[in-house]
Amino acid sequence: MPGVLVDSNVLLDVLTEDPEWFVWSAGALERCADESELVLDPIVYAEVSVGFERIEELEALLPHDAFVRAPLPWDAAFLAGKCFRAYRRRGGEKRSPLPDFYIGAHAAVSGLSLLTRDPGRYRTYFPKLRLIAPTSSRPPASASRPPRRPGP
């Protein structure tokens, strides 16, 4: 499998130990890491960074030896604009391109798969994109909150 662009929702599930999605997201991230190169782009990085005060905190959790940093290709920006136009023509109300359009376009033009737990918009606007996603919009019944790590 070539590289896998990791969507922010998967990273946030793992980093926040989301009670519903941690198990699925952590397992999917681990499987992808075993088979492929994990890729982040500036859009995903920005979305994840919101919960951190210092860049060093985020960098410690997303080390460079585990996640390749890839710039957003110009071709992806163009494709994101075309998908946004299609979204608006279908009745979408947002006034500027959504981050999902940039993320999906980046994966599409770079030949990457996309690991996400929210595949709806990607399936609609990037039908040829290889998605790694849950089969349901609900977490698996076996998913449970991971044990809390001891802390200060």
Side-chain angles (χ1 to χ4, degrees):
M1 178 188 318
V4 175
L5 182 60
V6 182
D7 200 354
S8 57
N9 53 38
V10 172
L11 293 171
L12 290 169
D13 289 346
V14 174
L15 295 175
T16 65
E17 297 181 348
D18 182 89
E20 293 183 357
W21 285 102
F22 174 86
V23 171
W24 185 89
S25 292
L29 191 62
E30 185 175 344
R31 284 187 299 280
C32 288
D34 287 346
E35 299 172 5
S36 186
E37 186 172 68
L38 300 178
V39 179
L40 301 178
D41 71 14
I43 305 295
V44 170
Y45 193 89
E47 289 180 330
V48 174
S49 76
V50 171
F52 295 86
E53 292 299 318
R54 297 176 52 241
I55 193 170
E56 294 83 5
E57 296 170 16
L58 182 55
E59 286 291 310
L61 295 171
L62 301 174
H64 286 259
D65 62 339
F67 295 92
V68 172
R69 270 63 171 175
L72 188 67
W74 287 99
D75 292 352
F78 184 83
L79 179 56
K82 299 303 129 219
C83 291
F84 178 70
R85 182 176 63 193
Y87 159 83
R88 292 283 295 159
R89 287 180 175 166
R90 290 179 176 179
E93 296 185 11
K94 300 288 183 181
R95 296 282 176 204
S96 62
L98 303 167
D100 289 352
F101 291 133
Y102 291 108
I103 293 165
H106 181 179
V109 304
S110 299
L112 301 170
S113 298
L114 178 63
L115 173 60
T116 184
R117 71 163 163 78
D118 188 19
R121 189 171 286 136
Y122 299 116
R123 283 194 179 116
T124 300
Y125 294 98
F126 304 96
K128 294 181 181 178
L129 181 60
R130 180 177 182 275
L131 297 174
I132 303 164
T135 56
S136 169
S137 61
R138 297 178 184 262
S142 63
S144 64
R145 185 179 180 101
R148 297 295 287 165
R149 295 183 201 140

